[in-house]
Amino acid sequence: MTKITIKSIKQLKHKPEPFAALTAYDFTSAQLVDKAGIPLILVGDSAAMVMLGYETTIPASLEEMLMLTAAVARGTQSALVVADMPFMSYQSSVEDAIRSAGAFIKKGLAGAVKLEGGRHMVPQISAIVDCGIPVMGHVGLTPQSFHQMSGYRIQGKTETTAQAILKDAAAVQSAGAFSIVLEGIPAELARQITKDLDIPTIGIGAGPHCDGQIQVFHDILGLGDFAPKHTRQFARLGALITDSVVQYKKEVASGKFPTPENYTHLSDSIQKTLSARGNGADPKRP
Ligand code: KIV
């Protein structure tokens, strides 16, 4: 199986068709996504919401993200695994950014890291890249700025804010990022950024003109109750899982499960010894 590198991801910019990237947060989901041929798996800090039950991505800690990233890396053979740097693991200083990015590569076994922010994150991006760690940028709606944005709101709708995002994207590229996520911006702005930049743009809620699209695992599979506007449920696995668990519960209660193929018998002689000692009686299954 070919291992996807940042070189392979950069080459996707020149393909006529857009590519699909997806999040994953554990060993099993990473195996499933990797088997489907997705070239880039992001261990998003959306884990804080879909895996840990927080209301925003802000509470995700470095330790939690490291544990999830290492599990995803163990489940991935081909895709490039990108670790999302959690809130306050890189904003505070260039030194913190280098230390956190280094941990994701050494302990998390990731192939790259992602961080949110434009021009003001240039020192962090270039310092991490200078250490030999590939960086993916993220501009537009940056969920770690939830409070500053007064909620999850589409960014870049006015001329001034659109110009600011164009400058942010260009700065992220100049700082050395190998790709960039464009989240929650108008499609025309995403098209312009995609045209301007040499690195691949990966959109989420940013229209069809990006070089690639990225989505959250739980959203496209219909695992949660809520589906954001930017997504499509390609399956309703949440309902399927609940129905399957209800079926399991019913079959346990009715005695349909387990059946002999699910367990092992003792040899006759040992059975006899046990029942002679009075241990063979089963109040539920006489
Ligand atoms: O945390 C995340 O999952 C993300 C993407 C969806 C881009 O940042």
Side-chain angles (χ1 to χ4, degrees), residues 23-35:
T23 66
Y25 314 98
D26 63 24
F27 176 78
T28 305
S29 58
Q31 279 188 320
L32 296 170
V33 174
D34 196 45
K35 267 191 214 152

Side-chain angles (χ1 to χ4, degrees), residues 155-226:
Q155 303 293 302
K157 291 207 285 191
T158 66
E159 197 188 327
T160 318
T161 54
Q163 290 292 356
I165 295 172
L166 276 169
K167 285 185 189 151
D168 282 335
V172 165
Q173 169 170 284
S174 305
F178 73 96
S179 63
I180 186 166
V181 168
L182 306 179
E183 178 164 358
I185 60 172
E188 297 72 22
L189 177 58
R191 177 168 53 193
Q192 188 59 48
I193 297 171
T194 302
K195 206 161 149 254
D196 290 353
L197 298 191
D198 299 323
I199 57 172
T201 59
I202 308 177
I204 174 164
H209 309 294
C210 300
D211 298 305
Q213 296 288 327
I214 187 158
Q215 287 287 320
V216 168
F217 183 85
H218 293 59
D219 290 346
I220 64 157
L221 296 174
L223 281 166
D225 295 332
F226 166 73

Side-chain angles (χ1 to χ4, degrees), residues 78-113:
S78 175
L80 177 72
V81 174
V82 180
D84 212 358
M85 305 242 280
F87 183 57
M88 279 303 143
S89 69
Y90 62 94
Q91 287 94 340
S92 37
S93 69
V94 167
E95 289 71 26
D96 283 350
I98 293 174
R99 208 169 296 115
S100 305
F104 277 112
I105 302 295
K106 289 183 78 168
K107 291 192 199 157
L109 312 172
V113 297

